[in-house]
């Protein structure tokens, strides 16, 4: 069932080295506090730490007890406390309160704070203001990259999106630059670096500033080209409903650090089960990139094949049975267990999506993307929203529908949503302000059509006498051109043509043949053109800050498609979806490339919205 592609695709680099380096550095930092100690870990670092150093490893280096940071008084009786945390002011204040409480009670302890991936000056300032700067030692666990799979690496920084694109806080830019430098030092030099977006350009410059002149050693590169892309270049794709299997598993069960916890409804028992979902799972690896409509057929065939393999035991003599048990039986049992889990997960997905009128929602979504029957689509979504309001559903579901209504229709609809916020609860006003600020909700002026608005934007962008546009209006210009971008890049396949999801012909299959993700199409076009030449109109509409810079190899070498030249690292700044990863895998199979996705976090429509919800909503 897995799509066949070119057989000459290169082998991917071994990213397990990243985990070994991270583990060794953490052990070194723990040993800087000799003797038994209790370790307090930020909640969002628990799953991440489990991938690097399990409890046994920590115990071997004198960690006595493990606690989750809960920002309340502690019960530890240890004389040495170690805190592994993100650089957050609230957490640092909590640690300062612990130290001051101990001092007030006359208790002496040793304290060590390990910030990851880096410590910020603001955190040290808090320690100083609270009068405990001299009582604690601080260090950095420069853990930038977690390999989630053979071709996925994550910074596991979901806050990157809100901090950079909403708050304008650029503190993570250096972190992203450091992550890129780590990849460069281990697997470079790169032939060429392409990018689009303001943040992408800053990350590139941060990386170049960090790379020392003598660091570019004469070694065989393992990665050829690098593409940096900002999430706000393409908001449409993460707001589209995912229909590839891996994306649906993430939507329903939430994949965390490459693993997922299946509940009793999947395991058919009274217990939950946590499993890794990656290329090591043979069943998952064959269906992860498939459109969900194909999954049940594959699983049924897999079950029949498995039964046939078991039936081989009949008629075997003793020697053949011994060989079967020692060489095949264990693998068959493991495959049977995985097959049962994915059948259970598929059934659960089917039930939940049916309950949510998933097919109707997909039909509406696709019509909005294509620009057909817009009034009917808006009426459907308005009624869907009203039902949720009446049933007191979670606000994030409501706002996802609003975003689909506006974003997929070029952010300009025929009615004013902002003035109707009161319908969804006055407590959500700040959330809507955030959505408007980032450009996901844009008010249309009364009486103006979309065409008139687009022409106004185009005139202002082209009019040199208008001077430099403000950031806010540049954002509007960028986010009101989806129809033009779609036409220019052919993002919507021709209507009326039969699309066989069993034999996909382009990246649109990840959205049932309705839409090719803008982000992935841009990457394809730039690689084909070896730069941005011919895409000037596209980058103008995206207000792109695009760049293409030759790296460590000369032009002649770059034109020779050696194995490293066909390995492309794509860095998503602000998160990427499993749908985009599936699309890039398809593109790689078709073109003979291998894509490595490096992202600040894995995202989807719900998580994108969670980042924009007001904290009190």
């Amino acid at each position: 069932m897995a799509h066949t592609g070119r057989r000459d695709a290169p082998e991917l680099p071994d990213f397990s080295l990243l985990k070994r380096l991270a583990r060794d550095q953490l052990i070194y930092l723990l040993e800087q506090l000799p003797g038994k100690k209790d370790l307090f870990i930020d909640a969002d670092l628990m799953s991440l730490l489990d991938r690097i150093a399990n409890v046994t490893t920590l115990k071997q280096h004198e960690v006595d007890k493990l606690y989750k940071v809960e920002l309340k008084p502690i019960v530890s009786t240890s004389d040495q406390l170690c805190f592994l945390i993100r650089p957050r002011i609230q957490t640092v204040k909590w640690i300062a309160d612990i130290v001051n409480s101990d001092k007030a009670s006359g208790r002496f302890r040793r304290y060590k704070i390990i910030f990851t991936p880096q410590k910020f000056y603001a955190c040290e300032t808090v320690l100083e203001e609270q009068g405990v700067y001299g009582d604690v030692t601080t260090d950095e666990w420069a853990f930038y990259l977690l390999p989630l799979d053979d071709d996925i690496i994550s910074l596991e920084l979901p806050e990157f999106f809100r901090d950079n694109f909403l708050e304008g806080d650029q503190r993570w830019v250096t972190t992203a630059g450091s992550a890129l430098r780590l990849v460069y030092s281990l697997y470079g030099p790169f032939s060429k670096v392409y990018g689009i977006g303001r943040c992408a350009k800053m990350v590139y410059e941060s990386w170049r500033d960090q790379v020392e002149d003598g660091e570019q050693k004469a070694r065989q590169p393992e990665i050829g080209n690098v593409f940096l892309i900002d999430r706000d270049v393409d908001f449409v794709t993460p707001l589209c409903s995912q229909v590839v299997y891996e994306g649906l598993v993430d939507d329903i069960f939430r994949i965390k650090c490459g693993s997922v916890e299946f509940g009793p409804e999947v395991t058919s028992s009274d217990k939950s089960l946590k499993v890794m979902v990656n290329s090591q799972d043979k069943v998952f690896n064959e269906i992860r990139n498939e459109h969900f409509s194909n999954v049940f057929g594959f699983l049924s065939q897999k079950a029949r094949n498995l039964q046939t393999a078991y039936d081989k035991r009949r008629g075997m003599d003793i020697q053949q049975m011994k060989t079967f048990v020692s060489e095949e039986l264990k693998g068959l049992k493991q495959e049977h267990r995985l097959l049962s889990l994915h059948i259970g997960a598929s059934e659960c997905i089917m039930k939940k999506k049916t309950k949510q009128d998933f097919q109707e929602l997909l039909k509406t979504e696709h019509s909005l993307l294509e620009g057909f029957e817009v009034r009917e689509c808006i009426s459907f979504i308005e009624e869907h929203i009203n039902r949720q309001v009446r049933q007191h559903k979670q606000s994030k579901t409501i706002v996802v529908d609003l975003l689909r209504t506006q974003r997929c229709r070029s952010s300009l609809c025929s009615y004013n949503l902002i003035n109707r916020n009161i319908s969804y609860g006055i407590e959500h006003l700040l959330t809507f302000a955030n959505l408007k600020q980032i450009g996901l909700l844009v008010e249309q002026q009364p009486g103006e059509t979309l065409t008139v608005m687009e022409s106004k934007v185009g005139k202002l962008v082209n009019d040199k006498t208008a001077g430099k546009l403000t950031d806010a209006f540049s954002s509007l210009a960028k986010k009101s051109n989806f129809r033009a971008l779609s036409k220019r890049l052919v993002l919507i396949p021709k209507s009326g043509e039969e699309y066989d999801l069993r034999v996909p012909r382009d990246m649109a299959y990840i959205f049932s043949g309705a839409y090719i993700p803008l982000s992935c199409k841009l990457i394809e076009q730039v690689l084909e053109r070896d730069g941005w030449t011919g895409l000037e109109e596209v980058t103008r509409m995206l207000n792109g800050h695009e760049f293409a810079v030759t790296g460590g190899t000369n032009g002649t070498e770059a034109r020779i498609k050696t194995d490293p030249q066909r390995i492309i690292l794509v860095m998503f700044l602000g998160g990427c979806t499993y749908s985009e990863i599936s699309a890039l895998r398809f593109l790689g199979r078709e073109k003979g490339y291998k894509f490595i996705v490096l992202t600040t976090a894995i995202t989807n429509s719900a998580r994108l919205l969670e980042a924009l919800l007001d904290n009190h909503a």
Side-chain angles (χ1 to χ4, degrees):
M1 177 161 179
H3 309 304
T4 57
R6 288 176 49 166
R7 296 181 180 179
D8 62 341
E11 292 296 318
L12 289 169
D14 179 11
F15 294 116
S16 63
L17 177 59
L18 295 170
K19 289 200 287 188
R20 293 198 300 271
L21 288 173
R23 184 182 65 245
D24 292 347
Q25 188 190 12
L26 177 61
I27 290 171
Y28 171 79
L29 293 172
L30 290 174
E31 289 179 344
Q32 298 305 299
L33 192 62
K36 285 187 175 295
K37 50 196 161 279
D38 285 353
L39 180 62
F40 291 79
I41 308 169
D42 252 340
D44 57 349
L45 291 175
M46 301 285 276
S47 297
L48 183 150
L49 183 62
D50 192 48
R51 294 291 304 271
I52 300 299
N54 56 27
V55 174
T56 302
T57 302
L58 296 174
K59 295 284 187 182
Q60 289 171 351
H61 297 279
E62 300 187 284
V63 172
D64 188 21
K65 295 179 182 177
L66 292 170
Y67 296 93
K68 182 170 70 174
V69 169
E70 294 181 317
L71 304 182
K72 62 183 184 181
I74 64 172
V75 296
S76 171
T77 58
S78 175
D79 290 332
Q80 296 197 116
L81 304 181
C82 187
F83 302 89
L84 181 61
I85 64 169
R86 293 291 193 197
R88 297 175 181 137
I89 289 177
Q90 185 182 22
T91 311
V92 176
K93 286 182 176 178
W94 170 72
I95 295 172
D97 288 342
I98 292 172
V99 177
N100 282 325
S101 177
D102 285 347
K103 287 164 70 175
S105 63
R107 175 157 194 178
F108 174 79
R109 300 199 227 210
R110 295 181 67 188
Y111 312 91
K112 182 179 182 66
I113 304 175
I114 301 174
F115 293 101
T116 186
Q118 65 187 83
K119 63 181 175 183
F120 294 130
Y121 174 74
C123 294
E124 293 185 313
T125 301
V126 170
L127 293 174
E128 190 170 358
E129 290 174 347
Q130 298 296 315
V132 299
Y133 186 80
D135 299 299
V136 302
T137 58
T138 62
D139 222 320
E140 284 183 341
W141 182 29
F143 177 38
Y144 299 113
L145 299 170
L146 174 66
L148 300 180
D149 208 342
D150 295 341
D151 59 351
I152 309 175
I153 310 171
S154 176
L155 277 75
E156 291 300 298
L157 285 175
E159 57 262 56
F160 187 104
F161 174 74
R162 181 183 175 107
D163 287 351
N164 188 85
F165 295 105
L166 179 65
E167 307 289 352
D169 186 342
Q170 298 164 4
R171 58 180 174 158
W172 298 115
V173 167
T174 303
T175 305
S178 299
L180 195 57
R181 179 188 173 180
L182 179 59
V183 174
Y184 173 84
S185 64
L186 296 176
Y187 306 102
F190 309 139
S191 301
K192 209 159 190 179
V193 181
Y194 309 100
I196 183 166
R198 179 177 297 175
C199 184
K201 197 157 194 176
M202 288 190 293
V203 168
Y204 167 77
E205 289 169 352
S206 172
W207 164 61
R208 291 305 307 172
D209 289 343
Q210 293 180 53
V211 174
E212 300 174 3
D213 293 336
E215 190 173 335
Q216 193 170 299
K217 301 174 184 176
R219 61 177 181 272
Q220 182 65 33
E222 296 184 65
I223 295 173
N225 298 322
V226 175
F227 198 104
L228 309 179
I229 182 168
D230 283 8
R231 181 71 275 168
D232 70 347
V233 167
D234 175 16
F235 277 138
V236 172
T237 299
L239 290 173
C240 290
S241 298
Q242 301 195 86
V243 287
V244 292
Y245 181 67
E246 189 168 17
L248 285 168
V249 170
D250 184 43
D251 284 349
I252 301 298
F253 303 103
R254 184 69 180 264
I255 300 175
K256 293 182 181 179
C257 294
S259 66
V260 64
E261 185 169 339
F262 289 130
E265 71 276 13
V266 173
T267 62
S268 300
S269 68
D270 58 350
K271 295 182 180 179
S272 296
L273 182 64
K274 188 175 182 180
V275 295
M276 300 297 297
V277 281
N278 55 30
S279 57
Q280 302 304 308
D281 180 338
K282 293 181 180 179
V283 177
F284 177 74
N285 195 46
E286 292 191 67
I287 60 176
R288 67 192 308 179
N289 303 309
E290 295 294 334
H291 190 278
F292 189 66
S293 61
N294 300 330
V295 170
F296 273 112
F298 168 80
L299 293 176
S300 298
Q301 184 61 50
K302 193 78 174 175
R304 289 192 290 270
N305 294 344
L306 200 59
Q307 187 60 52
T308 301
Y310 273 121
D311 290 345
K312 288 195 309 182
R313 296 173 295 176
R314 297 173 183 174
M316 286 183 177
D317 58 31
I318 293 176
Q319 185 58 44
Q320 288 172 327
M321 182 64 74
K322 184 178 178 181
T323 303
F324 175 79
V325 170
S326 62
E327 295 181 3
E328 296 183 49
L329 187 57
K330 184 178 179 181
L332 289 174
K333 286 184 175 180
Q334 172 71 0
E335 197 167 348
H336 182 269
R337 185 182 72 90
L338 294 171
L339 183 61
S340 298
L341 282 174
H342 290 296
I343 289 173
S346 297
E347 289 174 341
C348 189
I349 290 169
M350 180 71 78
K351 289 176 183 176
K352 291 195 176 182
K353 289 302 180 182
T354 302
K355 285 181 180 178
Q356 296 173 4
D357 302 321
F358 191 51
Q359 294 305 317
E360 281 296 317
L361 185 60
L362 283 180
K363 181 181 176 182
T364 301
E365 197 171 282
H366 296 166
S367 295
L368 287 169
L369 284 164
E370 295 166 6
F372 296 146
E373 301 176 341
V374 175
R375 288 184 182 277
E376 291 82 354
C377 293
I378 291 173
S379 297
F380 170 81
I381 292 181
E382 278 192 306
E383 176 56 30
H384 192 66
I385 292 169
N386 290 335
R387 286 204 308 269
Q388 292 183 73
V389 171
R390 289 194 297 268
Q391 297 169 13
H392 306 289
K393 293 289 183 68
Q394 289 186 345
S395 62
K396 67 181 183 182
T397 310
I398 296 168
V399 183
V400 165
D401 287 331
L402 289 173
L403 294 182
R404 287 195 176 114
T405 304
Q406 285 219 329
R407 188 70 202 117
C408 295
R409 191 65 178 97
S410 308
S411 293
L412 297 166
C413 288
S414 59
Y415 56 94
N416 191 328
L417 284 168
I418 303 302
N419 288 337
R420 299 181 56 185
N421 289 348
I422 193 68
S423 301
Y424 316 116
I426 196 168
E427 69 273 15
H428 301 308
L429 285 174
L430 290 178
T431 296
F432 278 87
N434 291 343
L435 294 169
K436 185 178 179 183
Q437 179 179 330
I438 207 167
L440 284 170
L441 289 176
V442 180
E443 294 178 86
Q444 181 177 333
Q445 297 303 314
E448 283 192 314
T449 65
L450 184 62
T451 306
V452 171
M453 178 64 92
E454 285 181 340
S455 65
K456 283 189 176 185
V457 170
K459 181 178 183 300
L460 282 172
V461 171
N462 290 321
D463 189 358
K464 294 181 180 179
T465 63
K468 184 179 179 181
L469 294 173
T470 64
D471 288 345
F473 199 85
S474 295
S475 177
L476 172 60
K478 176 172 62 175
K479 293 175 174 59
S480 61
N481 280 298
F482 176 70
R483 286 203 309 175
L485 284 167
S486 178
K487 184 176 181 180
R488 180 73 177 80
L489 293 171
V490 196
L491 301 181
I492 309 296
K494 293 180 181 178
S495 59
E497 293 185 4
E498 191 72 23
Y499 199 102
D500 188 352
L501 293 170
R502 293 170 297 180
V503 188
R505 61 174 180 261
D506 53 33
M507 291 183 285
Y509 90 93
I510 68 166
F511 293 124
S512 305
Y515 165 64
I516 297 174
L518 171 59
S519 56
C520 300
K521 188 69 172 183
L522 274 177
I523 293 165
E524 178 189 26
Q525 289 291 303
V526 170
L527 290 174
E528 284 183 359
R529 300 164 186 267
D530 195 23
W532 296 97
T533 303
L535 296 172
E536 292 82 4
E537 184 182 353
V538 169
T539 58
R540 178 184 64 78
M541 286 188 284
L542 291 171
N543 193 31
H545 301 277
E546 74 282 358
F547 58 93
V549 184
T550 301
T553 58
N554 59 44
T556 304
E557 291 173 321
R559 285 192 294 272
I560 300 172
K561 296 300 180 185
T562 59
D563 277 1
Q565 292 302 319
R566 290 186 290 123
I567 294 179
I568 295 100
L569 177 77
V570 180
M571 188 174 194
F572 285 90
L573 297 159
C576 79
T577 65
Y578 281 114
S579 294
E580 288 168 304
I581 295 172
S582 292
L584 290 176
R585 286 172 180 152
F586 176 88
L587 179 61
R589 288 191 296 269
E590 292 294 299
K591 304 291 186 181
Y593 291 124
K594 278 287 183 71
F595 286 96
I596 301 161
V597 172
L598 171 56
T599 180
T600 53
I602 300 293
T603 192
N604 57 23
S605 59
R607 249 165 270 162
L608 188 75
L609 177 63
E610 284 171 6
L612 299 174
L613 282 171
D614 178 63
N615 292 333
H616 303 290

